[in-house]
Amino acid sequence: MERQLLQRAKEAFVSGRARPLEFRLQQLHALQRMIMEKETEISTALKQDINRSQYDTPLLELIGIENEIKLAIEKLAQWAAPRPVEKNLFTISDEVYIQPEPLGVVLIIGAWNYPWALTLIPLVGAIAAGNAAVVKPSELSECSSLLLHTLLPRYLDKDLYPVVTGGVSETQQLLRLRFDHIFYTGGSTAGKLVMEAAARHLTPVTLELGGKSPCYIDKDCDVRTACRRVTWGKFVNCGQTCIAPDYILCEPCIQGQVVEFIRQTLLEFYGADPKCSPDYGRIINQQHFSRIMSLMEGYTPVVGGQSDSSQCYIAPTVLKDVPPHSRLMQEEIFGPVLPIVTVSDMEDAINFINEREKPLALYIFCSDQKAIKRMIEETTSGGVTVNDVMMHYTISSLPFGGVGQSGMGRYHGKHTFDQLSHQKACLIRSLKMERVNLARYPPQDRRRARRVRMALRSPLIDTSKRTLIWAVVATILGIGLFITLLVILLIAAGLNCTCWYWRGFYN
């Protein structure tokens, strides 16, 4: 079945119907209608999957999808237009530009923790770029997966954007097929398998993975506010967020404050018993429940620690004085457990971060601008948010993606469009003005070689500026071709040009 779906998608793409901007806009508007009209059904599915609050679903997923669609609709003509670039002297009279064009058929493999946003936001970019796309939602968020399979064909072109449900077997079958790009969101273990499968066909990939995103809290900042924001980011969606703060780094002198402020914030957010709170979620399944519980073995929580396997419930939990080389610090937690690791100062925190894999996100709570800049400059991460958590994800103008083990490629807004487009280099020349080319043709001599070198070494010229005007004026005045080129060069280079350039050009 997967092969047949792919073949239909390829045939639909080759037919060219996904290319016109009018069609792309039509599909984007249809997707927008789906989100608006089916918000209740989507919220219900997420309530069944991970006990997500009906109020959190718009905040955490649907508004973001709507914003991406609105931006794509508004900017599509601009994104898809040819992009003029600077020229050199040999191409000054030619048309030189970059033309974004569709890649073909994209495979989008979604994730279960935010099954709508992490599947549909890449789809928005695929549609905007003029591609076909095979959509594979995660089988772990079963209700959302089945609902997406039902809804998408009602709103979008069935051949260009088919949905494949199922588990590991179906995903493996898809990965055996040849796509033009694979966009995967999930864990690094599966990400390696996706990349290995893509390599067999030389298929480019975007891997949105994860990792252990550190959160440094400086002793001189507003620790209470910092802990309030960290608590929200860590425990929203029951800690199952790829850019959630994975652990806290702080000096020993404020560790007690951090614990107490988090305790107070949890009481405010979820009440005395988070299990009864309508705003607190659940772990996706028993397998992940058992994995998270095993990570806590041997520790005495200073906050939380309660659990109920029958409901896949783990209370918001804080562990302090966690050893840096413990198992808890070796793998992404992806759950409501927050370890605190103490460091002596910011330099120690920087070294701690740099000794480990590059994270998807880095969070810095600090009031000293110089210290903030130092930490940003001396560490590497997919993204950075200062004095808050996760909010960089909400800005469509920022590229979202990892680095190293936390992923490759980027998306959101125009970044998704560019990621799923081929940037075709275009040069359109005239068959006239053949004298321009004489210097590069054989037989060569010293004079011709000098002219070619000077032309090729010239700075790039932005023909939208006054340089082009001067070139036109020089041509009208009857100055020879090489003098015209020289005028362009001198204006582009500025007043620092010297007379040797004139002499060298003619000698």
Side-chain angles (χ1 to χ4, degrees):
M1 185 185 75
E2 288 79 10
R3 189 178 296 276
Q4 294 171 346
L5 286 175
L6 174 59
Q7 185 59 35
R8 283 206 301 270
K10 283 185 176 181
E11 290 173 357
F13 174 77
V14 170
S15 74
R17 71 172 181 259
R19 281 180 173 262
L21 297 192
E22 295 78 10
F23 178 86
R24 305 184 203 183
L25 290 171
Q26 176 192 7
Q27 296 297 297
L28 290 171
H29 280 296
L31 189 60
Q32 188 178 42
R33 285 200 314 276
M34 186 188 86
I35 298 300
M36 295 173 62
E37 294 172 1
K38 301 300 179 181
E39 178 179 328
T40 301
E41 289 93 326
I42 292 171
S43 296
T44 300
L46 285 164
K47 180 70 175 178
Q48 295 171 318
D49 285 331
I50 49 178
N51 198 43
R52 170 96 58 81
S53 163
Q54 62 174 326
Y55 303 109
D56 275 347
T57 289
L59 174 67
L60 298 177
E61 298 204 58
L62 302 188
I63 293 174
I65 300 170
E66 290 175 353
N67 288 342
E68 289 283 325
I69 297 173
K70 289 176 185 176
L71 181 65
I73 291 172
E74 178 186 345
K75 300 287 188 180
L76 181 57
Q78 178 183 327
W79 293 350
R83 305 170 194 172
V85 295
E86 296 175 326
K87 309 174 185 181
N88 59 26
L89 291 181
F90 272 128
T91 59
I92 193 66
S93 63
D94 302 325
E95 191 176 355
V96 183
Y97 60 92
I98 297 170
Q99 178 64 64
E101 68 175 12
L103 293 174
V105 183
V106 178
L107 172 61
I108 299 172
I109 304 176
W112 54 263
N113 54 327
Y114 294 90
W116 295 87
L118 299 181
T119 305
L120 295 185
I121 290 178
L123 179 60
V124 170
I127 295 171
N131 297 295
V134 175
V135 178
K136 173 60 181 70
S138 172
E139 72 281 4
L140 298 186
S141 49
E142 183 178 3
C143 295
S144 294
S145 175
L146 293 175
L147 182 60
L148 184 63
H149 182 261
T150 301
L151 292 181
L152 212 59
R154 294 181 186 174
Y155 288 85
L156 299 186
D157 187 293
K158 299 179 182 63
D159 295 327
L160 282 168
Y161 314 110
V163 180
V164 177
T165 57
V168 174
S169 174
E170 286 74 14
T171 304
Q172 289 175 340
Q173 290 180 44
L174 283 170
L175 290 173
R176 292 189 188 102
L177 305 176
R178 181 176 179 177
F179 289 87
D180 297 292
H181 193 98
I182 298 176
F183 195 112
Y184 167 79
T185 303
S188 58
T189 301
K192 293 175 183 177
L193 298 176
V194 170
M195 193 169 182
E196 182 181 349
R200 298 190 191 104
H201 301 292
L202 293 180
T203 299
V205 296
T206 300
L207 301 179
E208 297 294 338
L209 307 179
K212 298 185 74 64
S213 296
C215 175
Y216 173 72
I217 302 179
D218 188 76
K219 65 180 179 181
D220 295 323
C221 77
D222 181 347
V223 178
R224 181 187 295 274
T225 301
C227 289
R228 183 181 178 86
R229 296 178 182 182
V230 171
T231 301
W232 171 77
K234 178 61 181 179
F235 299 110
V236 71
N237 211 46
C238 205
Q240 299 164 118
T241 306
C242 61
I243 51 172
D246 191 88
Y247 60 92
I248 289 175
L249 295 173
C250 67
E251 295 183 33
C253 61
I254 65 166
Q255 183 177 210
Q257 292 181 58
V258 169
V259 170
E260 186 56 33
F261 288 144
I262 292 176
R263 188 197 312 275
Q264 293 173 13
T265 305
L266 286 170
L267 186 63
E268 175 191 348
F269 286 0
Y270 305 116
D273 185 4
K275 188 177 181 181
C276 300
S277 170
D279 297 303
Y280 189 69
R282 296 294 185 269
I283 303 303
I284 185 67
N285 58 26
Q286 282 291 333
Q287 179 184 346
H288 282 277
F289 173 87
S290 300
R291 178 187 62 80
I292 296 167
M293 292 301 297
S294 69
L295 290 175
M296 291 194 289
E297 290 176 0
Y299 295 98
T300 301
V302 291
V303 176
Q306 301 84 5
S307 64
D308 182 348
S309 62
S310 67
Q311 293 189 25
C312 288
Y313 167 79
I314 299 176
T317 300
V318 179
L319 308 173
K320 71 173 190 176
D321 294 318
V322 175
H325 301 292
S326 63
R327 182 187 165 211
L328 190 63
M329 294 302 297
Q330 303 309 308
E331 62 180 81
E332 183 179 8
I333 296 169
F334 218 70
V337 179
L338 182 59
I340 302 176
V341 179
T342 57
V343 290
S344 57
D345 51 23
M346 176 176 278
E347 182 176 357
D348 192 19
I350 290 172
N351 291 335
F352 187 94
I353 294 167
N354 289 338
E355 287 169 358
R356 287 156 178 79
E357 297 291 354
K358 298 170 184 176
L360 183 55
L362 168 64
Y363 304 114
I364 307 165
F365 288 87
C366 184
S367 302
D368 185 339
Q369 293 300 314
K370 189 174 289 186
I372 291 170
K373 288 182 179 179
R374 180 193 174 191
M375 196 160 201
I376 292 174
E377 290 173 358
E378 296 185 15
T379 60
T380 301
S381 58
V384 179
T385 293
V386 177
N387 292 326
D388 209 336
V389 296
M390 305 202 304
M391 295 305 292
H392 64 291
Y393 179 88
T394 66
I395 305 173
S396 294
S397 55
L398 285 176
F400 180 81
V403 57
Q405 293 295 303
S406 58
M408 61 182 68
R410 65 208 61 81
Y411 75 124
H412 287 185
K414 185 175 182 292
H415 304 288
T416 320
F417 179 91
D418 289 341
Q419 186 78 8
L420 298 179
S421 298
H422 168 56
Q423 309 300 321
K424 182 190 288 184
C426 299
L427 168 63
I428 301 177
R429 311 202 73 185
S430 169
L431 288 173
K432 300 178 181 179
M433 297 178 66
E434 180 63 4
R435 285 185 61 196
V436 175
N437 298 311
L438 294 181
R440 66 182 168 108
Y441 293 157
Q444 282 289 331
D445 55 30
R446 189 179 70 171
R447 185 180 181 185
R448 284 190 172 187
R450 182 182 292 113
R451 288 176 177 175
V452 172
R453 283 198 302 270
M454 295 178 72
L456 291 178
R457 289 173 178 171
S458 67
L460 291 176
I461 300 165
D462 184 352
T463 54
S464 66
K465 297 182 179 179
R466 63 177 184 176
T467 308
L468 182 61
I469 297 174
W470 280 106
V472 172
V473 170
T475 302
I476 293 173
L477 291 176
I479 302 175
L481 176 62
F482 283 107
I483 296 295
T484 303
L485 297 180
L486 181 60
V487 171
I488 296 170
L489 179 60
L490 289 173
I491 294 171
L495 297 177
N496 292 327
C497 296
T498 54
C499 291
W500 67 264
Y501 207 98
W502 291 81
R503 293 195 302 270
F505 201 80
Y506 283 104
N507 291 338

